[in-house]
Amino acid sequence: MAVEEEGLRVFQSVKIKIGEAKNIPPYPGPNKMRDCYCTVNLDQEEVFRTKIVEKSLCPFYGEDFYCEIPRSFRHLSFYVFDREVFRRGSSIGKVAVKKEDLQKYHGKDTWFQLQPVSADSEVQGKVHLELRLSEVITDSGVINHKLATRVLECQGLPIVNGQCDPYAAVSLLGPSRSEAKKTKVKRKTNNPQFDEVFYFEVTRPLSYTKRQFDVEEEDVDKLALRVDLWNASNLKFGDEFLGGVRVPLRVLGQAGVHDAWYFLQPRENGGKSVKVEELGSLRLNIVYTEDHVFPSEHYTPLRDLLLHSANVEPVSASTANILGEVCREKQEAAIPLVRLFLHYGKIVPFISAIAHAEVNRTQDPNTIFRGNSLTSKCIDETMKLAGMHYLQVTLKPIIDEICAEHKSCEIDPVKLKESENLETNRENLRHYVDRIFNVITTSGVRCPTVMCDIFFSLRESAATRFQVDQDVRYTAVSSFIFLRFFAPAILSPNLFHLRPHHPDPATSRTLTLISKTIQTLGSLAKSKSANFKESYMAAFYDYFNEQKYADAVKNFLDLISTSGKWDQKSIETPIMLKEGFMIKRAQGRNRFGLKNFKKRWFRLTNHEFTYHRTKGEGALCSIPIENILAVERLEEESFKMKNMFQVIQPERALYIQANNCVEARDWIDILTKVSQCNRKRLSTYHPSAYLNGHWLCCKLSADAAPGCTPCTGGLPANIQLDVDGDRETERIYSLFSTYMTKLIKMQEACGSKSVYDGPEQEEYSSFVIDDPQETYKTLKQIVSAVQTLEQQHTKYKRDKFKKTKIGSQEHPIGDKSFQCYIRQQSESSTYSI
């Protein structure tokens, strides 16, 4: 989800690898070990949770998490919890990284010290204050000065133990002052509207006789306003601190008026003094990306160069191939290139062109597509995008079964436990390998068309290049579908969305053995046993040294490398797309029933959307996909609940609350995607609920009244369109901009090759340049397009800086921006004079 900023769209995303924790303090009891898990939070909102690692003070997680961030945030936080027997998890420590500091750790494995977790440090949200200093003449003629403090509203306060009933405490602080006044408590909202005014007398020296109010610097410095937000709690422990601000009265200046938003801050020295090293540390790899996307016309020159790549002769001189040459990792280039070409339906001709060039450079058919080339990385990324549902329907059922059964499959005699039998384990493993092999080799009809077209191209190029080798047409395809698609998905099912978390060590070992065997079966190598370093694997593989396995692999590869023959849309098998617990409001199917909120297990397939009392039970309600007319967010004020959305049907709307903002976005996206092609989709909807006989948004009384707001576009169901082309072009621009020095060096290499026929200079040897003149021509066009976009970004940043008003709702005053605010105010007053 993008944030609009004056014609420019801003996308935020984060990719996190949670590695491991170490030196967690032991449990204070006879059993020193802990059962730890880790959460990822946007401020205090949990968006991801790892598995629990039992009985360890150095838990290894090895889990990856990616999400598009749908809202603004101040901190990306990570909490380590200990699961206790009779209570919910208790926090051990946390890592909180400010948004502006995320780039310091970009893509680096970093050990972070765990910090103590206390109520005083768990602060988020902002408050809007208005201060006004005025003269009051008493009956006796004495001039007094009063400070009027107006607490207007707060936004984004934390929810404590499932509730937020906030109030504000306002104090005027000084050498001899500690007056405190409180607002009314606002129930069940973390965005309270207070709009209350408090008055404080500002005492002046008796010698003060000036008629106009002219605050002296030394007097003002002694006074400050303190506003603290509290959660009114019924617990015996008292009210919980939500955050506060301290405003020195010198902000009033000569005008005597101050109106601004402030970020709430923790209390000074509010937490207990704990030695940091006592809490342990956490290893993280964080990649935070912020894409600033201009209107589409700005990207036309660069986009046209990229999309023309498949037609450039030679393809090594194309814009897309040059991107792969200058990037440090081919993967960096492959991800946005594949998404862009998929979006415009040009992925097959592009991959065919670069694959054909790579095959022609390959001397040995046994090494075909074995390196980490741009071709290999692009095909990998295409399979991940286009083949995800294919993996789900093919592998997920059997992977789920293996993870649930926990059968021992260890066949290494050295690792065998005393209670285990080697022959029984071999039989268990052989049974699993046979079943997975069969589901893979009989799944050819479901292979997505775009993958079949690419495999057809690979097969033709390889067979033409190595006409003597009869197996190369198979190995060219199997090196991707088995070695880079099915085998990795079996080995790490969590990375391919087949499992929510990394499997436990025993199951992970089973999946490793299965993956090795499937990889070898699919490779069609001449000597099977030679593929294994371990003697126990070579002995186990003898079970599969039968011609029927090789024949099944070849039949499968023949089927999936037949261009355009199969269409994945014709599959009738229901594919499970997403499931999980959420809270739903009763739909009112019973006219006199209570419309209360209940927790239910939701399940979405490509056929229907259902909810159940709990996982595994029969459906309480089933909504066919064709009955979903729209899926939209529901305004928070409808039920005073966050992260709500609505699934609109012909007769009614189903109101649902997701667990967090990321999950809400994911459900909205995938529900919109599967229902995008419904013929009766709505063009308008009601963003608020129908309550007490009228729609809260437009106040119309008829429950069947047409919507008052246009429906959002949503995401199209076709994989080739499920991409933002401008965003991917912006990412490619960013890569070219980052590696501009390499572009310049590549230009120099082209010049060197054109005028010098001797041995290639070492500094230019890393570039593949088949045609120096054509490559130089493309490079010149790339540099021109990138520099034009660079100017647009510079202008945008300059204009944004000029328009940024510190203290506004968009840019509240924080702990580091107060001095900037004072400077900005003094400059504006100077200009006004």
Side-chain angles (χ1 to χ4, degrees):
M1 180 177 294
V3 178
E4 295 282 346
E5 288 186 3
E6 298 180 5
L8 182 122
R9 294 176 297 141
V10 181
F11 295 87
Q12 304 174 103
S13 64
V14 67
K15 181 180 179 182
I16 302 161
K17 186 172 185 63
I18 304 171
E20 60 190 307
K22 67 179 180 182
N23 302 328
I24 299 294
Y27 188 78
N31 179 12
K32 304 293 185 183
M33 295 294 104
R34 293 182 183 267
D35 300 339
C36 296
Y37 62 92
C38 182
T39 67
V40 180
N41 296 56
L42 290 174
D43 296 318
Q44 284 184 258
E45 183 180 11
E46 182 182 318
V47 295
F48 177 72
R49 180 179 294 201
T50 68
K51 63 181 178 183
I52 296 172
V53 178
E54 297 181 341
K55 299 177 182 178
S56 175
L57 299 180
C58 296
F60 176 80
Y61 298 106
E63 299 205 33
D64 293 85
F65 172 66
Y66 172 85
C67 78
E68 297 281 336
I69 301 175
R71 63 171 177 83
S72 60
F73 68 101
R74 290 170 66 187
H75 294 88
L76 183 65
S77 302
F78 305 84
Y79 291 77
V80 176
F81 288 91
D82 179 23
R83 179 188 63 180
E84 296 185 353
V85 179
F86 300 110
R87 293 192 295 160
R88 298 191 315 183
S90 61
S91 57
I92 296 172
K94 73 170 184 178
V95 172
V97 185
K98 290 185 177 180
K99 180 181 177 180
E100 56 266 31
D101 293 337
L102 286 170
Q103 287 303 320
K104 295 179 186 176
Y105 311 105
H106 187 86
K108 303 172 187 173
D109 265 13
T110 307
W111 282 99
F112 292 89
Q113 292 287 340
L114 290 175
Q115 304 293 328
V117 177
S118 66
D120 292 297
S121 66
E122 300 297 282
V123 169
Q124 68 178 52
K126 53 191 176 183
V127 61
H128 186 190
L129 303 175
E130 182 185 296
L131 280 61
R132 188 179 298 272
L133 203 55
S134 56
E135 287 186 353
V136 177
I137 303 176
T138 64
D139 294 339
S140 59
V142 177
I143 300 174
N144 288 340
H145 294 85
K146 282 192 175 183
L147 174 69
T149 302
R150 185 181 180 193
V151 183
L152 288 99
E153 61 177 310
C154 292
Q155 289 186 358
L157 296 179
I159 296 173
V160 182
N161 297 323
Q163 66 149 27
C164 189
D165 298 332
Y167 69 90
V170 187
S171 306
L172 185 62
L173 307 176
S176 59
R177 296 174 179 271
S178 60
E179 303 175 54
K181 301 178 181 183
K182 297 179 181 179
T183 67
K184 294 176 182 176
V185 175
K186 299 295 180 180
R187 300 288 178 185
K188 297 182 179 180
T189 177
N190 65 339
N191 297 315
Q193 301 279 334
F194 294 113
D195 201 8
E196 295 189 40
V197 182
F198 302 99
Y199 294 93
F200 299 92
E201 282 197 12
V202 180
T203 304
R204 305 296 298 173
L206 293 175
S207 60
Y208 182 79
T209 58
K210 294 181 182 178
R211 296 300 300 174
Q212 76 277 12
F213 184 66
D214 185 9
V215 178
E216 296 174 12
E217 191 71 24
E218 60 271 19
D219 294 332
V220 174
D221 286 342
K222 296 175 185 177
L223 295 176
L225 189 78
R226 177 83 196 180
V227 180
D228 290 328
L229 274 296
W230 296 84
N231 180 47
S233 173
N234 295 322
L235 300 176
K236 62 181 179 180
F237 304 110
D239 297 347
E240 293 99 349
F241 178 72
L242 300 178
V245 294
R246 184 180 184 277
V247 185
L249 291 196
R250 61 192 175 94
V251 299
L252 290 163
Q254 293 183 345
V257 178
H258 174 64
D259 184 341
W261 283 83
Y262 281 82
F263 278 128
L264 295 174
Q265 305 293 336
R267 285 187 292 193
E268 295 178 3
N269 302 320
K272 299 176 182 177
S273 58
V274 178
K275 290 183 180 179
V276 171
E277 60 268 19
E278 291 179 359
L279 299 177
S281 52
L282 183 65
R283 180 166 62 86
L284 302 167
N285 189 306
I286 305 169
V287 177
Y288 171 74
T289 306
E290 198 171 283
D291 298 320
H292 293 77
V293 182
F294 292 104
S296 188
E297 61 269 16
H298 290 80
Y299 298 103
T300 301
L302 182 57
R303 183 174 55 240
D304 288 350
L305 283 172
L306 289 160
L307 295 178
H308 187 61
S309 294
N311 304 320
V312 174
E313 286 288 347
V315 73
S316 61
S318 68
T319 303
N321 195 79
I322 288 171
L323 180 65
E325 288 292 308
V326 299
C327 284
R328 185 179 59 187
E329 303 287 343
K330 302 294 185 190
Q331 184 79 0
E332 282 185 293
I335 292 173
L337 283 175
V338 166
R339 295 175 69 84
L340 181 73
F341 284 115
L342 272 171
H343 178 66
Y344 287 101
K346 293 180 178 289
I347 191 66
V348 175
F350 170 64
I351 288 182
S352 297
I354 59 174
H356 184 72
E358 182 173 331
V359 168
N360 287 340
R361 287 194 296 269
T362 305
Q363 302 302 316
D364 183 355
N366 293 315
T367 62
I368 194 167
F369 298 128
R370 292 303 169 96
N372 287 323
S373 63
L374 182 63
T375 305
S376 298
K377 292 299 182 183
C378 283
I379 296 175
D380 287 353
E381 194 61 28
T382 303
M383 291 191 298
K384 283 181 184 176
L385 286 171
M388 199 55 71
H389 288 169
Y390 176 39
L391 269 183
Q392 290 270 338
V393 74
T394 306
L395 288 184
K396 185 170 171 53
I398 181 65
I399 295 291
D400 285 343
E401 189 177 320
I402 292 169
C403 292
E405 289 181 343
H406 297 291
K407 286 184 179 178
S408 179
C409 295
E410 183 55 72
I411 59 172
D412 183 355
V414 177
K415 296 181 180 179
L416 207 64
K417 296 178 181 178
E418 289 185 10
S419 59
E420 294 176 347
N421 181 278
L422 184 59
E423 284 305 316
T424 302
N425 288 4
R426 280 178 178 164
E427 185 56 38
N428 290 341
L429 184 59
R430 183 169 63 175
H431 172 70
Y432 283 147
V433 170
D434 257 329
R435 288 187 59 191
I436 287 186
F437 179 81
N438 286 332
V439 298
I440 289 174
T441 53
T442 57
S443 69
V445 68
R446 293 191 292 270
C447 186
T449 305
V450 67
M451 289 171 60
C452 293
D453 289 344
I454 290 170
F455 294 151
F456 172 76
S457 175
L458 299 182
R459 173 179 173 150
E460 292 298 299
S461 293
T464 304
R465 174 77 171 87
F466 302 103
Q467 297 182 14
V468 178
D469 192 321
Q470 293 300 308
D471 282 340
V472 73
R473 60 198 178 113
Y474 294 116
T475 55
V477 178
S478 68
S479 63
F480 288 103
I481 195 69
F482 279 102
L483 273 65
R484 294 173 175 266
F485 189 61
F486 284 122
I490 296 166
L491 183 65
S492 303
N494 55 304
L495 299 183
F496 291 80
H497 307 294
L498 299 176
R499 296 289 297 172
H501 301 295
H502 189 71
D504 62 80
T507 305
S508 184
R509 173 65 175 165
T510 297
L511 294 175
T512 299
L513 296 171
I514 295 170
S515 179
K516 281 185 175 183
T517 313
I518 291 295
Q519 184 172 319
T520 307
L521 280 167
S523 68
L524 293 171
K526 302 289 191 297
S527 174
K528 303 294 185 182
S529 60
N531 289 337
F532 297 107
K533 298 176 183 177
E534 311 93 340
S535 58
Y536 62 87
M537 282 301 297
F540 173 71
Y541 196 84
D542 286 340
Y543 288 127
F544 303 97
N545 257 331
E546 297 181 35
Q547 188 59 35
K548 67 176 184 178
Y549 289 101
D551 291 343
V553 170
K554 287 183 177 181
N555 288 337
F556 169 69
L557 296 174
D558 279 334
L559 192 59
I560 65 172
S561 56
T562 304
S563 178
K565 187 171 182 180
W566 307 103
D567 184 359
Q568 59 182 351
K569 293 179 183 176
S570 65
I571 306 166
E572 294 300 324
T573 307
I575 301 171
M576 205 287 291
L577 302 175
K578 189 171 177 62
E579 58 183 347
F581 277 112
M582 292 189 288
I583 294 172
K584 66 95 186 175
R585 182 177 186 261
Q587 299 181 73
R589 288 174 291 167
N590 183 340
R591 186 175 179 85
F592 301 103
L594 289 174
K595 295 182 181 180
N596 53 355
F597 290 88
K598 291 183 178 179
K599 189 176 183 179
R600 293 289 183 252
W601 180 262
F602 284 82
R603 192 169 188 272
L604 174 66
T605 72
N606 57 332
H607 289 183
E608 60 182 355
F609 182 48
T610 59
Y611 62 78
H612 315 245
R613 185 166 278 104
T614 189
K615 185 178 182 180
E617 289 193 5
L620 296 174
C621 176
S622 173
I623 304 173
I625 296 301
E626 57 268 24
N627 282 0
I628 298 177
L629 306 184
V631 184
E632 299 287 349
R633 292 188 178 275
L634 187 70
E635 289 183 355
E636 184 179 330
E637 291 305 310
S638 295
F639 300 106
K640 307 294 183 185
M641 295 168 69
K642 295 173 73 70
N643 305 318
M644 290 202 70
F645 64 95
Q646 52 184 316
V647 179
I648 304 171
Q649 308 161 66
E651 300 297 327
R652 62 183 67 84
L654 174 61
Y655 299 133
I656 302 171
Q657 183 188 34
N659 296 314
N660 56 63
C661 63
V662 172
E663 191 173 296
R665 177 193 161 280
D666 288 346
W667 274 106
I668 292 170
D669 283 355
I670 197 164
L671 281 163
T672 301
K673 192 184 298 183
V674 297
S675 62
Q676 190 76 28
C677 297
N678 289 352
R679 295 178 181 177
K680 296 182 180 179
R681 276 188 65 84
L682 297 177
S683 57
T684 59
Y685 77 106
H686 293 283
S688 293
Y690 183 81
L691 293 174
N692 303 322
H694 68 273
W695 293 100
L696 298 181
C697 42
C698 58
K699 309 304 180 186
L700 293 176
S701 57
D703 60 355
C708 57
T709 303
C711 287
T712 55
L715 294 172
N718 188 333
I719 183 67
Q720 292 187 346
L721 299 175
D722 187 10
V723 170
D724 187 317
D726 294 336
R727 184 181 182 185
E728 301 309 324
T729 312
E730 167 64 28
R731 286 181 167 179
I732 292 169
Y733 149 75
S734 296
L735 288 171
F736 275 133
S737 181
T738 301
Y739 295 108
M740 180 59 76
T741 54
K742 278 196 173 182
L743 285 173
I744 303 302
K745 187 169 282 190
M746 200 170 180
Q747 282 183 314
E748 294 171 0
C750 290
S752 174
K753 271 203 162 193
S754 297
V755 300
Y756 180 62
D757 288 333
E760 192 169 28
Q761 294 184 38
E762 187 176 345
E763 62 175 320
Y764 303 140
S765 61
S766 61
F767 300 123
V768 175
I769 302 174
D770 296 321
D771 186 330
Q773 290 184 334
E774 190 67 29
T775 305
Y776 185 85
K777 175 184 169 185
T778 306
L779 283 163
K780 191 174 179 181
Q781 293 172 314
I782 293 170
V783 170
S784 173
V786 169
Q787 288 176 342
T788 301
L789 279 168
E790 189 78 53
Q791 291 168 2
Q792 291 290 334
H793 277 276
T794 302
K795 182 178 182 300
Y796 163 73
K797 290 175 184 176
R798 186 172 58 245
D799 291 347
K800 184 181 179 183
F801 180 78
K802 287 180 180 177
K803 294 176 182 177
T804 297
K805 182 184 176 185
I806 300 172
S808 64
Q809 187 173 355
E810 295 76 21
H811 302 281
I813 299 170
D815 53 347
K816 292 183 179 179
S817 58
F818 182 76
Q819 294 302 326
C820 296
Y821 172 80
I822 295 295
R823 188 163 57 249
Q824 192 178 71
Q825 292 300 108
S826 63
E827 288 174 359
S828 63
S829 62
T830 302
Y831 292 142
S832 62
I833 292 171

